[in-house]
Amino acid sequence: MTETELKAVVDDLALRRRLVEEGGGVLEKEGYLQDRRWDTEAETICARDHVLRIRVFSGRAGTEATLEWKGPTRAENGYKLREEIGTTVGDAAALSEMMERLGLQVTRTIDRDIVQFKLRGATVRFESYPRMDILVEVEGTIAQIEDAVAVIGLPRESYSADSLPEFMARYERRTGKRPVVCAADLDDEEW
């Protein structure tokens, strides 16, 4: 399956969430989302622009985990496209142990609080990181994405196919602060 998406910095989470809800958005998930990216010590998976991750979502209804592979990223007409395959995992800890025994290691951790909606066929996910801008990710067909973007109400030119590291770099240039997308990377005094 090919994933098509756009991302933007959110100026006012409460406002944008309310607009999605008023526009017919159906809440799918609200809670904590954690990604653990796995690779070899030499980072051969990343070098091929592939991602292998275990994603764990924790919310009111419990915890769910998935194993996901993503292929190389490409941009077409301003949209980010990436082939993606995923499956539900019953025991993320056991899967992590298998990955370690295969010689893989966690090379990147991403933590965030999320609120995810289904809106007119698109998936709209607001992501709040430990220290960085709040982002909105919109996935679906191009028509579904554009429909959802109109409902969210952020200027269309604020959306891009940029990666998380690109958003992090812009945050640091703008604020002079080191962005933090992994809770464990926060200094003790920041807790």
Side-chain angles (χ1 to χ4, degrees):
M1 171 183 161
T2 300
E3 166 190 76
T4 304
E5 71 176 45
L6 290 176
K7 282 187 175 135
V9 172
V10 175
D11 57 350
D12 183 334
L13 178 58
L15 170 64
R16 301 305 164 191
R17 180 178 177 163
R18 182 175 52 79
L19 290 172
V20 168
E21 290 168 341
E22 290 173 356
V26 176
L27 182 65
E28 288 186 318
K29 295 178 180 180
E30 186 168 10
Y32 191 69
L33 185 62
Q34 188 174 68
D35 289 356
R36 297 289 181 262
R37 292 188 179 183
W38 292 83
D39 208 333
T40 63
E41 186 175 352
E43 297 194 1
T44 56
I45 295 172
C46 181
R48 294 174 45 211
D49 192 23
H50 289 234
V51 171
L52 181 63
R53 73 179 175 204
I54 298 175
R55 175 172 269 187
V56 178
F57 170 75
S58 302
R60 288 185 186 166
T63 299
E64 57 187 59
T66 56
L67 173 64
E68 299 171 350
W69 166 86
K70 290 183 172 228
T73 304
R74 65 187 196 280
E76 278 182 26
N77 303 316
Y79 297 90
K80 179 178 175 183
L81 288 90
R82 196 166 204 179
E83 200 176 342
E84 181 179 62
I85 302 169
T87 189
T88 302
V89 175
D91 187 341
L95 179 57
S96 293
E97 185 174 341
M98 286 183 237
M99 302 276 247
E100 288 172 358
R101 290 181 184 215
L102 287 169
L104 300 175
Q105 59 190 9
V106 174
T107 56
R108 184 152 197 206
T109 300
I110 304 171
D111 301 315
R112 61 238 187 249
D113 291 309
I114 67 154
V115 181
Q116 182 173 304
F117 294 90
K118 190 56 101 178
L119 175 64
R120 303 179 185 181
T123 298
V124 174
R125 185 172 58 241
F126 295 101
E127 302 178 333
S128 300
Y129 297 87
R131 183 174 59 223
M132 199 185 76
D133 294 312
I134 297 170
L135 300 180
V136 62
E137 179 179 286
V138 185
E139 282 184 38
T141 66
I142 291 173
Q144 291 167 340
I145 289 171
E146 293 300 332
D147 196 22
V149 163
V151 172
I152 295 165
L154 290 167
R156 177 60 181 88
E157 63 272 10
S158 66
Y159 288 86
S160 74
D162 292 346
S163 66
L164 181 59
E166 291 167 306
F167 280 97
M168 293 169 68
R170 281 199 298 273
Y171 171 84
E172 186 165 13
R173 281 193 305 273
R174 191 180 75 253
T175 67
K177 296 179 183 176
R178 180 179 59 90
V180 177
V181 296
C182 173
D185 291 342
L186 286 172
D187 299 327
D188 289 336
E189 68 271 4
E190 295 176 295
W191 281 103

